[in-house]
Amino acid sequence: AATGGIMLFYFIAVVAVIAYEVLMISSARQGTVGKIVMKIKVVKEDGSKLSTTDAIIRTIVKSLISGICFIGFLITLFNKKEQSLHDMAGKTLVVNAE
């Protein structure tokens, strides 16, 4: 029974983190609190704001890839736009907010 409770807690935590990221990067601020503090934001490749669907795709790919030895982030070393795998999937860029 304890295992079921732990699994439920884990599921709720994962859903909450994904929802937070989706809502924040598709909002007018275009970034999570950390991105806002760092003065960076997430935009589409054409510079426009992400839709909720764009944010969902980017966040789900980021969540899946980050669990696999950070390979999605290492890809940034090998492409001109410095996009990680989840940015490529979501056709997004992380840019200076100013």
Side-chain angles (χ1 to χ4, degrees), residues 9-69:
F9 175 78
Y10 179 74
F11 176 77
I12 291 170
V14 168
V15 169
V17 168
I18 289 172
Y20 162 76
E21 178 136 352
V22 167
L23 291 172
M24 291 297 289
I25 65 174
S26 64
S27 73
R29 293 197 180 259
Q30 296 174 274
T32 58
V33 172
K35 283 181 177 54
I36 294 166
V37 168
M38 296 299 296
K39 297 184 179 173
I40 57 178
K41 64 183 179 179
V42 181
V43 297
K44 292 187 61 72
E45 288 180 327
D46 65 6
S48 63
K49 184 177 156 306
L50 274 68
S51 68
T52 303
T53 302
D54 297 327
I56 289 169
I57 291 167
R58 181 182 186 275
T59 302
I60 288 174
V61 172
K62 179 181 175 182
S63 299
L64 293 172
I65 296 302
S66 66
I68 307 172
C69 301

